[in-house]
Amino acid sequence: MTPETSTTRYEIEIKLPVPDLGAVRERLRARGARQLTAPHSESNDLYDQADGSVAKSGRVLRLRRTEDGATLTYKGPARFEDGAKTREERETAVSDPNEMESILAALGFHRRFRYEKRREEWSLDDCVIALDETPIGTFAEVEGDPAAIRRVLQDLGLDPAESLPYSYAELYARRRREDSTLPVDMLLDTPP
């Protein structure tokens, strides 16, 4: 048996609020971007221990479901470099998300938050651009090398000064602090 080597993968991204996704989509087309995924729904469940130790340490354990399958993702604590959020990211396909939920529960992990969004992904200049519709607004996430991210933001007419350092879970928690009538989870069929 040959020993396998593991390469740590880092997610480097910038998230920005975008009031008009249609305009960004047209700019992507005009610059020859390639559409990677058609608009699709995602359901994301974040898991934690009863004491909240995963979230408190800045880490994420997520089970994502789409029409095409499910993925389990681990994200390490975030740090900010060159204006972009950088964190370790490991993920694997999950053939049976319901069974994965049972495994997580048996290990002491419980779903602490669910968020849904509609997402489409594009590729331009070695970056992946996700256009997201959520109950709290529309956003673009640009992932890639920091220099490529800056070029793509400039090409798309997006201002890096408007980038948000927060996850969707944190953005929603902040919104709920302003409006306590919002439901616990951020679901698409629930108005913001």
Side-chain angles (χ1 to χ4, degrees), residues 4-119:
E4 290 187 29
T5 57
S6 175
T7 303
T8 303
R9 181 190 179 283
Y10 287 92
E11 170 188 68
I12 304 169
E13 71 176 16
I14 288 184
K15 179 186 302 182
L16 307 111
V18 176
D20 186 357
L21 288 181
V24 175
R25 191 178 295 112
E26 289 308 312
R27 285 186 223 126
L28 284 163
R29 286 186 181 118
R31 281 151 185 80
R34 183 172 54 93
Q35 190 167 6
L36 300 174
T37 64
H40 60 278
S41 295
E42 286 185 1
S43 177
N44 299 274
D45 293 341
L46 301 183
Y47 286 84
D48 209 332
Q49 299 284 328
D51 64 359
S53 59
V54 174
K56 287 176 190 169
S57 67
R59 297 172 298 153
V60 173
L61 180 60
R62 179 186 69 206
L63 180 60
R64 173 176 284 167
R65 291 175 172 89
T66 68
E67 295 110 7
D68 294 330
T71 307
L72 184 68
T73 303
Y74 162 80
K75 294 186 181 200
R79 63 184 191 279
F80 292 86
E81 298 173 356
D82 296 324
K85 181 167 61 172
T86 302
R87 64 195 315 178
E88 179 184 1
E89 180 179 70
R90 296 180 178 274
E91 56 186 22
T92 189
V94 173
S95 62
D96 185 340
N98 294 330
E99 190 61 25
M100 179 54 71
E101 280 183 344
S102 297
I103 292 168
L104 291 169
L107 292 170
F109 291 95
H110 304 282
R111 183 171 61 85
R112 71 170 175 88
F113 180 65
R114 173 175 286 159
Y115 64 100
E116 297 175 339
K117 61 187 173 194
R118 294 223 9 107
R119 169 172 274 191

Side-chain angles (χ1 to χ4, degrees), residues 43-46 111-116 135-136 168-169 172-173 176 181-192:
S43 177
N44 299 274
D45 293 341
L46 301 183
R111 183 171 61 85
R112 71 170 175 88
F113 180 65
R114 173 175 286 159
Y115 64 100
E116 297 175 339
I136 57 170
Y168 286 121
Y172 192 69
R176 283 192 77 225
T181 65
L182 289 174
V184 173
D185 292 320
M186 186 177 87
L187 306 177
L188 284 170
D189 59 354
T190 306

